[in-house]
Amino acid sequence: MRKESYLPMELVDVEPARVKKITDEQRALMCKHSSVSPQVYIKSIKEIRNNPEKQCFEEDPFVAAWNMNVSTDMLTLPARVLPMPEIVYTDQYHVTSGSVRDVGTWQMKPTRFHTPANFPAVWGMINLSSIEQHACEDFYNELSNIAGERGMQCCPPVIYEEYDSRNSTADEIIVILSANSKLKSKLYGSFKKLCELEFGHGAVTQMIQHTNAVVGTRRDKARWDYAKLSNILLKINTKLYGINAVLKVHDVIERFFSHGHRVMYVGADLSHAPPSARSQPSVVAVVA
């Protein structure tokens, strides 16, 4: 402490951290600054390693005490680039490595899904944003047109409801969410839980940002964003047990998975609540 005072560690308590959950905008900004290409990382590491003012590993007493040595050269490992698998939508439309600019990235053309699913005969659109009803109808019409291109039959919604999200309670089904980030975050979880877990409804839901439900792109305010609507249908089709596309892999890999084998693949994920939500438990999920 100050004035060279000391306190026994076992008698000291740590004040709880008062940390608030970051916003979506802050998270996006953080990811933008922390996402650095490998080339930039290598350059920065070499600059630090070659600058005696920025690194002093050889002079560090702890490094010397453990008889450690930090090499000036980066470790080189053997590697190989796996070929991009062929992505099959239909017999006529395949995405191959030769047809894309960047391996693993492609723009979906107006084509059918591999196995398109139809919208239910009864489904509803509920608007919790400031978008007016005629704009929601325009959104449905455009979404329906693209769904038709994908092979999905999309009948008009049987139910259309509009709510003032500032005065209503979280006991309704939501599709188009509010622009208010705090309200949106709170309602998203409440309605997902209500529709898919509580009361035995098991209702399939698709939450949509209000900005994705209105006409306009960055370059043309009078044109619908085809990519955004296509991405929404990718999610809806899988939730309705459709198949967007399948992979055409090498024959050796195909035989390995089709004939059965003695290997089980397990994936696990753990989600901790933000520091501000003390009553919210951690959640773990495992799939195999």
Side-chain angles (χ1 to χ4, degrees), residues 194-204:
L194 173 73
C195 295
E196 302 185 13
L197 295 177
E198 296 181 352
F199 305 115
H201 293 326
V204 177

Side-chain angles (χ1 to χ4, degrees), residues 60-116:
D60 191 303
F62 293 98
V63 173
W66 285 89
N67 294 323
M68 292 177 63
N69 178 47
V70 181
S71 174
T72 56
D73 299 322
M74 297 187 72
L75 184 65
T76 301
L77 297 173
R80 60 192 177 100
V81 178
L82 296 176
M84 173 182 164
E86 193 170 330
I87 301 156
V88 180
Y89 285 95
T90 65
D91 293 338
Q92 293 75 31
Y93 181 51
H94 294 199
V95 179
T96 62
S97 57
S99 63
V100 297
R101 184 184 304 173
D102 300 317
V103 176
T105 304
W106 69 97
Q107 188 172 1
M108 188 175 178
K109 295 181 179 179
T111 186
R112 290 170 59 91
F113 288 131
H114 182 272
T115 307

